[in-house]
Amino acid sequence: MKTRICSIILARGASKGLKNKNILNFCGKPLILWTIEACFSSGIKDIYVSSDSDKILKLSRDYGAKIIKRPKKLSQDNSSSESCWLHAINYLKQQNLNYEIIVAPQVTSPLRKNNDIKRALVHFKQKKFDSLFSANSINDTLLWSEKNLSLRPINYNYNNRLRRQDIAKNIVENGSFYIFKSKIFRSKSNRICGKFGFFLLKKWQQFEIDNLEDFNFCKHIMEKYILEKTNV
């Protein structure tokens, strides 16, 4: 039997950093459309947008997505993505729609190639993961934590500084998308659960949009590496 897969895209109406960012014109399309199209190009047929905004829901439906009206109580600044995914999954179950695998991409991370999610799904199935997150690899970054102007090194000893090539590789969760099995997610209420792994993206794909500066920066990256199809 073929595994049932759907995508659940979270896109609330309010945004403090950049007003209406989910539907702003980004390189010729509403920002959310880049994520909807990324799911379609990955072969996902059932794509749901969960939002409290009628404008976002109408726009998403016009572009071929199915819609889930999210209650206001799950659309606050402190509402977790987990609570919103859980609401969507439970709503679908009430409609007798049971999906084994959920793909959960972030609208504000539009820097994806057409086959990124498709390749991640193949990796997810081959490794028999229960959950997966998109990531970037950093090989020579020296991290410090700062609290009350006090500094503490995180991943190296500054008294015994290693050569760049000897520093351990670190994996950064970039939030572009998550994949998880619905059943274990519902029991754990956590996007990273069970046997989990990661899928590497390019360094330039790590950036996301939270404010106008991010928006303009990501626009330039999109134009260079995706629209101009630079092979990097």
Side-chain angles (χ1 to χ4, degrees):
M1 183 180 294
K2 189 174 182 180
T3 302
R4 296 202 69 190
I5 300 173
C6 81
S7 175
I8 298 176
I9 300 170
L10 305 181
R12 73 186 182 112
S15 174
K16 287 187 175 180
L18 186 59
K19 187 176 180 180
N20 297 320
K21 67 180 177 183
N22 286 321
I23 54 176
L24 285 180
N25 187 318
F26 181 78
C27 296
K29 303 175 186 177
L31 183 61
I32 193 171
L33 182 53
W34 290 99
T35 295
I36 292 172
E37 289 184 340
C39 293
F40 276 131
S41 67
S42 298
I44 302 172
K45 295 181 180 179
D46 295 336
I47 299 169
Y48 297 90
V49 171
S50 164
S51 180
D52 61 315
S53 165
D54 291 334
K55 189 173 183 178
I56 290 176
L57 292 174
K58 181 182 183 304
L59 184 68
S60 301
R61 184 163 51 194
D62 289 345
Y63 287 117
K66 302 172 185 180
I67 62 173
I68 298 174
K69 186 63 181 284
R70 195 194 315 170
K72 290 291 183 182
K73 66 180 181 180
L74 295 179
S75 303
Q76 307 303 312
D77 289 340
N78 61 352
S79 299
S80 69
S81 295
E82 272 79 2
S83 66
C84 300
W85 288 321
L86 187 60
H87 169 264
I89 292 169
N90 288 337
Y91 169 84
L92 293 173
K93 285 182 71 66
Q94 290 172 5
Q95 312 303 312
N96 293 319
L97 295 169
N98 296 300
Y99 295 94
E100 182 181 345
I101 295 174
I102 308 296
V103 176
Q106 181 171 261
V107 174
T108 51
S109 297
L111 303 176
R112 306 183 192 95
K113 294 182 179 180
N114 285 340
N115 64 348
D116 282 335
I117 294 176
K118 184 176 182 178
R119 290 171 54 233
L121 276 167
V122 170
H123 183 62
F124 180 86
K125 293 176 183 178
Q126 287 179 341
K127 296 297 183 180
K128 298 182 179 179
F129 288 141
D130 295 307
S131 59
L132 171 149
F133 59 88
S134 61
N136 294 100
S137 171
I138 55 173
N139 298 333
D140 57 355
T141 299
L142 306 179
L143 301 175
W144 292 74
S145 68
E146 184 273 328
K147 185 176 182 181
N148 298 325
L149 300 180
S150 177
L151 289 170
R152 180 177 63 84
I154 295 175
N155 67 335
Y156 84 111
N157 181 351
Y158 64 86
N159 290 312
N160 184 25
R161 187 181 294 267
L162 298 174
R163 298 181 305 160
R164 179 184 61 81
Q165 58 267 38
D166 293 330
I167 298 173
K169 179 173 69 174
N170 291 283
I171 300 299
V172 177
E173 181 181 340
N174 63 30
S176 180
F177 59 84
Y178 298 87
I179 302 173
F180 45 80
K181 290 184 177 177
S182 177
K183 185 176 181 180
I184 191 169
F185 172 79
R186 292 182 75 235
S187 67
K188 301 294 185 180
S189 295
N190 194 324
R191 73 191 76 183
I192 299 176
C193 50
K195 179 184 177 183
F196 61 87
F198 61 89
F199 181 80
L200 285 179
L201 297 177
K202 298 287 188 179
K203 184 180 292 186
W204 55 266
Q205 294 178 287
Q206 68 183 291
F207 303 104
E208 60 183 293
I209 297 171
D210 289 320
N211 52 48
L212 183 58
E213 182 181 12
D214 297 336
F215 186 89
N216 291 327
F217 182 61
C218 287
K219 180 180 177 182
H220 289 305
I221 296 175
M222 175 71 81
E223 292 170 343
K224 178 66 175 177
Y225 290 113
I226 296 181
L227 298 183
E228 294 182 10
K229 298 182 178 179
T230 302
N231 187 23
V232 177

